[in-house]
Amino acid sequence: MNTIKAFSLMGLLTIILVLMGRAFGGSSGALLFFIIAMGMNFISYFFSDKIAIMMTRSQPVSRAEAPELYDIVKRLSERANLPMPKLYITPSHQPNAFATGRNPSHAAVAVTQGIMQMLNRNELEGVLAHELAHIKNRDILISTIAAALAGAITMIGNMLQWTAMFGGLRGDDEEGGGIFGLIGTLFMAILAPIAAALIQMAISRSREFEADATGARIAGHPDGLANALLRMEQAARQIPMQLNPAASHMFIVNPLSVQNIARLFSTHPPIEERVRRLQNMR
């Protein structure tokens, strides 16, 4: 099902890109952006893990460099009947983590420097079990594709928006008027990043609940993850992370500050609800 969702997502984001291309240059622009979209889909499917790692500036880590991290992941992977994923460290003092890759055989788990310093072993095990749950549930393909494509669409939308401000957008002579004229171009330049964010939200909120439950079973208890979620949410409010917003939904806790009405558009469900469900698993 997640594979079907991933290809549906690629199709939907391709349509958005084609509409942006049509607003940019009429029929020829639509064709150009369709070709670009096909290339993006190919790259995001086969190289999604590398894209996510680059977006977060994570660096590979060996067993000699992080023996405790390696041993925990190895033991939990065996318990979950999963191949040992590649391990990375993300250069941030904020405690957080994410998993990426297109399937369990091409998976990677990244943790921040902060999580290694702030969480105890029990809490760290809960977080790592959660990330392995994403791999086991095959969530990582769709979330990483969303990050790659949404990031590209946001970048292109911003480019079109700035170009339109300087009068550089004109479609074909016979198609330049109406909705695909300047008004249509501005509309698409503003709408596309919003659409990409909405797509991210649609795939993120429910999968976190499922990964919490699966992760608690892999770890053998829910308390470590529940305590870790509370500590990481508090730290995320105090310690900023320099991050492309298109990759924020991959992390176990939203790494970006979200307040007031912005919570309605958060890529993560409320921590309080996640902790309540974990506590009910006792």
Side-chain angles (χ1 to χ4, degrees):
M1 182 58 67
N2 275 327
T3 301
I4 295 174
K5 289 180 180 179
F7 283 104
S8 299
L9 175 63
M10 287 190 288
L12 182 56
L13 294 187
T14 297
I15 292 173
I16 295 175
L17 274 179
V18 170
L19 291 176
M20 292 172 67
R22 185 173 175 84
F24 181 80
S27 298
S28 58
L31 177 61
L32 173 61
F33 274 54
F34 175 77
I35 296 173
I36 293 174
M38 291 298 98
M40 287 172 50
N41 287 336
F42 176 84
I43 293 173
S44 63
Y45 182 82
F46 288 101
F47 302 98
S48 56
D49 54 338
K50 295 179 176 59
I51 293 173
I53 293 300
M54 288 189 296
M55 291 176 72
T56 57
R57 297 176 289 110
S58 302
Q59 298 296 322
V61 62
S62 66
R63 183 172 191 171
E65 295 171 316
E68 181 181 18
L69 174 65
Y70 188 95
D71 291 343
I72 292 175
V73 174
K74 187 176 187 299
R75 180 171 57 82
L76 293 175
S77 298
E78 292 173 351
R79 182 180 295 179
N81 196 26
L82 290 170
M84 177 70 184
K86 297 177 181 178
L87 297 181
Y88 291 83
I89 296 292
T90 304
S92 174
H93 293 295
Q94 181 188 116
N96 225 317
F98 70 91
T100 184
R102 67 178 184 271
N103 57 44
S105 299
H106 300 83
V109 172
V111 299
T112 62
Q113 294 171 334
I115 204 173
M116 300 294 294
Q117 300 167 353
M118 297 184 64
L119 299 190
N120 60 40
R121 185 182 179 91
N122 190 42
E123 294 165 343
L124 182 59
E125 286 182 353
V127 171
L128 293 171
H130 171 98
E131 298 307 330
L132 291 175
H134 277 309
I135 298 173
K136 189 175 183 67
N137 296 341
R138 294 182 179 267
D139 293 331
I140 52 176
L141 172 63
I142 188 171
S143 66
T144 311
I145 286 178
L149 297 185
I153 285 181
T154 302
M155 179 184 67
I156 295 173
N158 291 337
M159 179 188 69
L160 292 179
Q161 191 172 9
W162 281 103
T163 307
M165 289 180 182
F166 292 96
L169 293 175
R170 289 188 296 273
D172 298 341
D173 292 339
E174 67 275 12
E175 300 179 275
I179 192 171
F180 294 113
L182 181 59
I183 295 178
T185 298
L186 288 172
F187 178 76
M188 287 305 304
I190 296 172
L191 176 63
I194 296 175
L198 291 174
I199 292 169
Q200 288 185 42
M201 287 190 295
I203 66 170
S204 296
R205 297 177 73 92
S206 63
R207 76 187 185 96
E208 290 301 326
F209 288 128
E210 296 172 2
D212 287 344
T214 304
R217 288 190 288 269
I218 293 174
H221 53 81
D223 294 337
L225 178 56
N227 294 337
L229 289 174
L230 292 172
R231 295 186 65 182
M232 287 190 293
E233 182 192 37
Q234 183 178 9
R237 296 174 179 173
Q238 302 172 349
I239 306 173
M241 179 185 291
Q242 299 299 321
L243 179 72
N244 186 329
S248 64
H249 68 280
M250 296 192 304
F251 286 82
I252 183 173
V253 171
N254 192 343
L256 306 178
S257 178
V258 179
Q259 299 294 335
N260 301 326
I261 195 170
R263 288 183 178 270
L264 296 175
F265 301 96
S266 174
T267 57
H268 295 69
I271 293 295
E272 295 82 1
E273 177 64 16
R274 294 173 66 181
V275 171
R276 184 187 68 79
R277 294 192 184 195
L278 286 168
Q279 291 173 342
N280 287 341
M281 291 183 66
R282 294 174 182 169

